[in-house]
Amino acid sequence: MHTTTSQAPIDYRDLARGDRVHGSLYTNPEIFAEEMSRIFYRTWIFVGHTSEIAAPNDYVRKSIGTQDVIMTRDRDGDIHVLLNRCAHRGSIVCNEPRGNSSAFRCPYHGWTFRNTGDLIGYPFRQGYGESGPELNLASLPRVASHQGFVFASMATDGPTLAEHLGPAAEEFDRLASLSPEGEISLSCGWIGHRLNANWKLLFENDADGYHPQFAHRSVIAATNTHIGDLYSDRSPVTAHDLGHGHSLREMRPVYRDSPPLSWAGASEERLPDYATQMRAALGDRADVALTDGPPNLMVFPNLAIMDIHISVFQPLAPDLSVQHVTAVQWNGAPDLNRRELQQTVASVGPAGMFLADDAEMHERVQQGLAMREPEWVDVSRGLLRERTDEHGHAVGSVTDETGIRAFWHEYLRLMTAEEVA
Amino acid sequence: VITTTDDLTQRRIEGFLYEEARLADENDYDAWEQLWTDDAMYWVPANGEGSDPTREMSILYDNRRRIGTRLAQLKTGKHYTQSPPSRTRRIVANIETMPTVGDRPGEEPPGGADLEVQANVMIAESRASGVTLIMGRVTYHLRLSAGELKMSYKKVVLINNDRPMPTMSFLL
């Protein structure tokens, strides 16, 4: 147990270098605590989706780092993110995973708070005299959403969500464009997968196009999956740094050489209702949408949109994380949704044919990082062949560690920045 | 309606459940696969009892073909989370033969002549991080097929399926 702070501040520039990162970044409790305050309790964090609180007064329990939060929709439709702690004596005020209520009443002493966080009242007012305490639930100062994806920041000031997302925003739009109604829902519920591994290993893994042929060789051997070709040294797929820690695996060069719906492992013949609805809704633009498919997008620091499923990374301790996963559901596309949910369930979660092996690798890495030597983790793959796009962002081949380096750039920026920027 | 399974004794049913448990514990994938009917459904719901696996996330939801794929993956020896395989032992207890057969997801089996049996299961799994205990309620649909008892449906409702769970890629 760490009881003292070190004399000298941690020099993150020395630990997170361009081509390698230090193993202590995954194991040191002091660094974990600083990550919470400088990243998770400061920048924009993905919390949940508006479809999870569709009706007025709906609420759902979520997390920001180690913090238990309640995402609510008030009676006017506005969304709030509240810390789950009674302003009186500290008990959690919400003990249900989700529900519908205009207020939260703490069972300990009966203090009651509106779903905006504002105090409604408490029993036996005379005990406080004329002007009693006006204590509210802590409410995150900034909440914003894009395509229904709700983000919150504990910093009062800072870049807007649009500035934070930058070019990643249009990838959310691409995801939604695959719905005949232009909207997605996260309505299937989440599975939490608990891992004895640092949260950054989870993010890095989803940004890593090098491991699939190896870590997932049992799936490749047992099924007709095409991922072996997508993640090969000859694949036309590219890895793009989008800035602010976000990155994109650009799969469209493959899918544009294939019939529509190849990304879904399907075809227009196999999903005729969906194809018809898309053509009716989008007209000429349907071909592009159906061919291109959804993005493979990493959103710093806790969200991955992996084509058909969503992963959220929750840090709990230097060596303990939860990966929350759910399937994307496109509004107005029941036949597509049914198929992609089945694919997602087969792939992800504690018994998933893909993610169980990812989890195994994360836990083995966490064990290995406890060894004293060689201290560093190498993230240099592809540096020599990276190019720069018109926005000044790095572009690498799919098996290059471009997306991992994008993560570390933003990590270093936030861990060394005094002000939110 | 119980028909072809009327004369199955409780003892024969228990024997089947114990065999199924032993084959799973000993990673005898081929013999375990033989216990399933062709229209089998294997379901481990998440977030409670599970209502509709075609609309909600499950921990596992396999039709007969996907059961085969899952076993083929295990048999490659490269499903690293099970290479080497977890060592498990499970206890199947509180076995009850139910008076009626409940609904199951997927296509209904022809004839609907299955017998529903429920039991509690406790599985201890040893892995590098220590021993994990998991518990749940299991629903089995059993069927006599050419004189042999087979399993057409197995649903495992884990008591902690609404909370974060560790990797569980051994046979549940």
Side-chain angles (χ1 to χ4, degrees):
Chain A
M1 191 71 199
H2 209 84
T3 52
T4 57
T5 48
S6 49
Q7 295 301 308
I10 293 162
D11 183 356
Y12 288 99
R13 285 187 184 82
D14 188 48
L15 297 177
R17 303 180 186 181
D19 60 348
R20 54 183 172 158
V21 295
H22 196 262
S24 64
L25 291 166
Y26 302 91
T27 58
N28 182 338
E30 194 176 334
I31 289 174
F32 181 84
E34 292 193 346
E35 289 172 350
M36 292 307 102
S37 58
R38 297 183 190 185
I39 296 174
F40 280 85
Y41 308 151
R42 184 156 75 167
T43 191
W44 288 103
I45 304 296
F46 171 68
V47 179
H49 194 266
T50 52
S51 58
E52 298 180 80
I53 46 169
N57 295 327
D58 277 355
Y59 68 87
V60 63
R61 289 265 289 282
K62 292 288 180 180
S63 62
I64 295 181
T66 62
Q67 302 289 298
D68 185 349
V69 301
I70 319 162
M71 183 170 80
T72 69
R73 185 187 287 278
D74 68 23
R75 63 187 176 191
D76 300 323
D78 291 332
I79 291 173
H80 307 267
V81 178
L82 311 171
L83 293 183
N84 192 4
R85 168 180 168 153
C86 180
H88 173 222
R89 295 282 295 277
S91 167
I92 63 168
V93 293
C94 176
N95 202 38
E96 297 293 325
R98 66 188 59 78
N100 183 277
S101 177
S102 60
F104 299 100
R105 181 178 171 86
C106 179
Y108 196 6
H109 301 95
W111 284 45
T112 306
F113 304 88
R114 218 175 298 286
N115 57 9
T116 59
D118 292 340
L119 177 69
I120 295 174
Y122 39 76
F124 314 152
R125 285 194 69 97
Q126 54 273 34
Y128 292 106
E130 282 299 309
S131 55
E134 291 297 321
L135 302 171
N136 303 317
L137 297 181
S139 176
L140 266 68
R142 294 190 302 153
V143 178
S145 69
H146 182 66
Q147 293 291 0
F149 287 77
V150 178
F151 295 77
S153 163
M154 290 194 196
T156 317
D157 300 305
T160 63
L161 178 62
E163 289 165 344
H164 172 70
L165 292 178
E170 65 195 54
E171 303 302 330
F172 289 85
D173 302 340
R174 171 149 68 107
L175 180 73
S177 77
L178 285 165
S179 154
E181 299 170 9
E183 286 183 339
I184 68 129
S185 294
L186 302 184
S187 55
C188 296
W190 296 80
I191 291 184
H193 188 178
R194 189 162 54 86
L195 299 164
N196 296 313
N198 186 271
W199 66 276
K200 299 188 290 299
L201 294 173
L202 281 56
F203 190 102
E204 288 182 291
N205 181 73
D206 275 358
D208 171 26
Y210 193 13
H211 77 279
Q213 277 224 18
F214 310 99
H216 301 306
R217 56 189 295 187
S218 64
V219 188
I220 295 168
T223 70
N224 57 1
T225 176
H226 57 290
I227 67 149
D229 301 326
L230 294 176
Y231 297 99
S232 78
D233 218 12
R234 288 183 297 278
S235 168
V237 177
T238 45
H240 297 251
D241 181 338
L242 297 183
H244 291 115
H246 318 312
S247 59
L248 176 75
R249 236 188 324 273
E250 180 54 271
M251 314 298 264
R252 282 175 284 198
V254 172
Y255 296 138
R256 283 180 178 171
D257 263 353
S258 312
L261 287 166
S262 296
W263 56 270
S267 61
E268 295 205 48
E269 290 71 36
R270 294 182 76 166
L271 293 171
D273 293 349
Y274 173 59
T276 303
Q277 284 154 355
M278 283 291 282
R279 294 198 180 283
L282 271 71
D284 291 346
R285 292 174 295 125
D287 243 339
V288 173
L290 291 172
T291 302
D292 284 0
N296 230 270
L297 177 72
M298 302 301 302
V299 182
F300 186 94
N302 72 327
L303 172 66
I305 299 175
M306 293 284 108
D307 300 315
I308 61 169
H309 73 259
I310 306 279
S311 279
V312 180
F313 313 113
Q314 180 188 7
L316 286 172
D319 59 353
L320 184 63
S321 307
V322 176
Q323 182 160 1
H324 301 271
V325 287
T326 193
V328 175
Q329 299 282 279
W330 285 274
N331 294 4
D335 50 344
L336 175 71
N337 290 342
R338 178 179 285 250
R339 182 185 173 86
E340 300 311 310
L341 172 62
Q342 301 289 32
Q343 288 298 113
T344 296
V345 166
S347 303
V348 307
M353 295 170 82
F354 281 94
L355 262 69
D357 280 329
D358 288 319
E360 179 69 18
M361 294 305 132
H362 305 336
E363 295 188 340
R364 291 188 191 187
V365 170
Q366 193 71 33
Q367 289 175 47
L369 289 171
M371 308 309 136
R372 295 170 56 84
E373 302 283 347
E375 288 194 52
W376 296 91
V377 176
D378 189 278
V379 294
S380 69
R381 184 176 170 82
L383 267 175
L384 82 173
R385 61 183 176 186
E386 247 173 24
R387 61 183 171 84
T388 304
D389 69 13
E390 63 273 25
H391 308 292
H393 293 141
V395 181
S397 300
V398 66
T399 67
D400 291 347
E401 283 151 355
T402 307
I404 293 175
R405 286 190 291 273
F407 171 89
W408 285 108
H409 287 152
E410 179 71 357
Y411 178 93
L412 188 57
R413 194 179 73 79
L414 287 171
M415 294 302 283
T416 55
E418 290 307 318
E419 300 293 321
V420 192
Chain B
V1 179
I2 302 169
T3 54
T4 54
T5 50
D6 268 344
D7 51 359
L8 284 175
T9 63
Q10 178 81 3
R11 211 168 153 162
R12 187 171 177 197
I13 292 165
E14 288 174 5
F16 179 86
L17 302 192
Y18 296 156
E19 181 189 16
E20 193 265 336
R22 174 169 49 77
L23 296 174
D25 278 337
E26 297 179 358
N27 304 301
D28 191 340
Y29 303 129
D30 291 334
W32 188 79
E33 187 171 14
Q34 293 304 310
L35 301 179
W36 291 98
T37 62
D38 290 342
D39 59 352
M41 195 63 82
Y42 177 26
W43 184 24
V44 183
N47 300 310
E49 297 292 317
S51 56
D52 182 357
T54 69
R55 300 174 66 89
E56 64 194 28
M57 289 293 289
S58 299
I59 295 163
L60 183 158
Y61 180 52
D62 289 356
N63 59 15
R64 179 63 189 83
R65 186 171 163 207
R66 191 167 276 167
I67 291 170
T69 304
R70 186 174 294 278
L71 295 170
Q73 185 189 20
L74 286 162
K75 287 192 284 188
T76 63
K78 305 295 182 190
H79 192 13
Y80 295 108
T81 180
Q82 283 298 305
S83 181
S86 299
R87 294 186 65 193
T88 64
R89 281 295 166 186
R90 69 197 69 196
I91 290 169
V92 179
N94 302 49
I95 299 167
E96 293 180 79
T97 301
M98 308 309 284
T100 56
V101 180
D103 291 338
R104 57 163 256 187
E107 284 178 36
E108 288 297 322
D114 292 341
L115 177 73
E116 180 164 313
V117 178
Q118 294 189 11
N120 289 348
V121 66
M122 179 164 68
I123 308 174
E125 181 210 15
S126 173
R127 52 194 289 120
S129 53
V131 172
T132 305
L133 272 184
I134 57 177
M135 278 204 74
R137 182 72 169 171
V138 191
T139 300
Y140 309 84
H141 287 185
L142 305 181
R143 187 184 309 163
L144 263 185
S145 171
E148 276 191 279
L149 211 44
K150 297 259 188 186
M151 182 164 61
S152 62
Y153 176 52
K154 184 181 183 186
K155 178 187 180 189
V156 185
V157 179
L158 302 174
I159 60 171
N160 58 337
N161 70 8
D162 56 345
R163 299 181 196 281
M165 286 170 296
T167 301
M168 295 180 295
S169 41
F170 50 90
L171 299 176
L172 281 166

